[in-house]
Amino acid sequence: MKKELNIALVGTGGIGQTHIERINDTLKGGNVVAVSDVNTDFGKKIADKYKLKFFEDAYEMIAADEIDAVMVTASDEHHEEFVVSAIEHGKYVFCEKPLAPTKEGAKRIVDAEVKGGKKLVQVGFMRRFDKGYLQLKEMIQSGDYGDPLLMYCAHRNYSDPAANWTTATTIPNALVHEMDICRWLLDEDYESVEVVLPKSSKHANPQLLDPQIMILTTKSGVRIDVEGFMNSRYGYDIQCEIICEEGVMNLPEPANAYVRSDVAIKYPIFKDWSYRFVDAYNIEIQEWMDACLEGRTIGPDAWDGYVAAATSDAAVQARETGETVKIELEPRSDFYKSI
Ligand code: ISE
């Protein structure tokens, strides 16, 4: 068995760079050795910064004999082409969320993987590796509190003018995390989705209605209210409350010391997701590399990416039409066994 993976990374923006740093400086079992970016000048700068080989042609990089595994951190609309290329070369591929911005794109990835006959894809739904969410899942599965009936979730970003949020990108880029994590926590698929648009914040840019409320209903009837607020103006804040028949559970706040001062008790919260979920990212990528070295996959797979994309498409349609939209999925192949 190989001891270290040579990893090629496509897309050298913010998340790509944090993955290069965590893999090359903190984690064990692999190194990012090569990168590619559609923006050649920028990609070359990043390659120089981290002393990596730069490929102008990402497909050539993915195909190269020296590359064992691929990481796709390109912009969402380019995920599909690189993930499919990795699959066609029989290489393990970690793709940041969303697997693809549409259901059709994600389905083409699923089809390519099934055709190749081997599971190779992991999707970057890092919350599944977060200690707090894992504790919630364990509590639900214990059955000690009865069945979950309702969930209240909030996904609040501080406010990042550079992120250029639009009403259309909030659902597939941000709320897609909620779609995946709630389905994983409850271990069941969704029946339908609605979206409600309350009064919009004056801090939202003109292309964004903010906040949005997405209401998911699972097959067994659990109702999940998700607030997506891209301009909270106070921090990056993720909330999850699960109302069960005999108890109510909450996602723990990240542990931060607090101070009594100035007639108040204060403790800091994170401003950005990369800090809030840093441990989850590290565990996720470490486990991905361990699994690749052992010739297997773990965590959210291409089917999970497809379900999230189908849910996200339905939510977009629900927002546009004001209707409750049924979430239709293709039949799941035995290739993908469980949620
Ligand atoms: C960002 O793209 C992410 O993926 C974060 O995990 C998410 O919480 C955030 O809202 C997005 O901006």
Side-chain angles (χ1 to χ4, degrees):
M1 184 171 97
K2 258 192 99 142
K3 290 221 174 74
E4 299 227 303
L5 297 169
N6 283 334
I7 300 167
L9 179 140
V10 195
T12 56
I15 184 82
Q17 290 178 46
T18 63
H19 288 338
I20 295 172
E21 288 170 14
R22 81 179 82 253
I23 291 172
N24 291 9
D25 303 340
T26 310
L27 306 180
K28 297 211 161 31
N31 290 296
V32 177
V33 294
V35 293
S36 185
D37 198 296
V38 276
N39 183 339
T40 310
D41 292 341
F42 180 76
K44 279 185 177 156
K45 268 192 211 139
I46 302 302
D48 285 351
K49 176 174 167 195
Y50 296 108
K51 303 194 177 23
L52 308 171
K53 187 164 168 185
F54 183 78
F55 282 75
E56 292 212 0
D57 182 342
Y59 299 103
E60 193 193 317
M61 175 176 80
I62 292 169
D65 285 342
E66 76 234 44
I67 297 303
D68 305 311
V70 177
M71 217 171 206
V72 178
T73 50
S75 50
D76 299 355
E77 65 278 16
H78 292 296
H79 287 181
E80 179 187 342
E81 63 209 63
F82 300 125
V83 173
V84 169
S85 171
I87 293 171
E88 285 170 356
H89 288 93
K91 297 194 178 172
Y92 288 107
V93 52
F94 177 94
C95 179
E96 260 310 331
K97 47 57 58 177
L99 179 59
T102 64
K103 172 181 178 174
E104 290 73 26
K107 183 62 176 35
R108 286 190 289 270
I109 294 175
V110 162
D111 291 344
E113 196 180 39
V114 173
K115 185 169 164 220
K118 184 175 178 193
K119 276 184 86 173
L120 294 168
V121 180
Q122 181 174 333
V123 184
F125 288 125
M126 79 296 179
R127 291 187 186 184
R128 293 190 186 200
F129 300 84
D130 174 74
K131 202 171 161 201
Y133 278 114
L134 283 160
Q135 287 171 344
L136 288 179
K137 174 127 177 135
E138 215 177 289
M139 284 179 181
I140 295 173
Q141 282 182 332
S142 72
D144 293 348
Y145 310 98
D147 281 352
L149 308 170
L150 266 176
M151 288 177 71
Y152 299 111
C153 307
H155 185 130
R156 304 190 185 123
N157 278 341
Y158 177 78
S159 177
D160 176 6
N164 222 357
W165 288 107
T166 66
T167 310
T169 54
T170 304
I171 291 174
N173 189 279
L175 299 194
V176 71
H177 278 294
E178 310 298 327
M179 297 166 192
D180 181 69
I181 202 69
C182 295
R183 171 175 169 264
W184 175 78
L185 283 168
L186 298 173
D187 204 14
E188 60 167 329
D189 280 323
Y190 299 121
E191 176 66 20
S192 65
V193 61
E194 332 160 32
V195 173
V196 174
L197 298 168
K199 177 174 174 176
S200 192
S201 163
K202 65 174 182 277
H203 299 297
N205 66 43
Q207 304 81 35
L208 175 65
L209 292 171
D210 194 39
Q212 303 183 36
I213 300 168
M214 173 177 75
I215 303 159
L216 293 158
T217 305
T218 67
K219 294 276 181 205
S220 76
V222 181
R223 187 180 155 123
I224 308 163
D225 288 9
V226 180
E227 169 204 317
F229 193 13
M230 302 301 109
N231 289 277
S232 78
R233 310 290 286 194
Y234 71 88
Y236 178 75
D237 193 9
I238 300 300
Q239 300 289 327
C240 177
E241 183 171 55
I242 307 168
I243 319 300
C244 297
E245 291 164 313
E246 284 125 34
V248 171
M249 22 186 112
N250 282 84
L251 184 69
E253 295 292 337
N256 276 318
Y258 53 88
V259 59
R260 290 177 165 80
S261 138
D262 202 13
V263 234
I265 300 177
K266 299 181 197 163
Y267 71 90
I269 56 175
F270 294 105
K271 198 168 174 183
D272 164 324
W273 44 272
S274 61
Y275 295 104
R276 164 65 179 85
F277 284 111
V278 68
D279 293 339
Y281 279 116
N282 284 340
I283 296 168
E284 167 195 49
I285 307 283
Q286 183 63 65
E287 291 194 8
W288 173 64
M289 292 194 294
D290 294 347
C292 293
L293 285 167
E294 288 167 18
R296 59 190 173 84
T297 54
I298 50 124
D301 61 19
W303 182 259
D304 298 314
Y306 161 73
V307 176
T311 309
S312 158
D313 276 9
V316 169
Q317 196 190 332
R319 179 177 50 71
E320 285 168 0
T321 59
E323 315 255 299
T324 300
V325 177
K326 197 167 156 39
I327 296 161
E328 313 270 6
L329 301 176
E330 301 283 329
R332 174 158 56 178
S333 144
D334 286 346
F335 193 79
Y336 301 104
K337 295 231 166 51
S338 58
I339 291 176

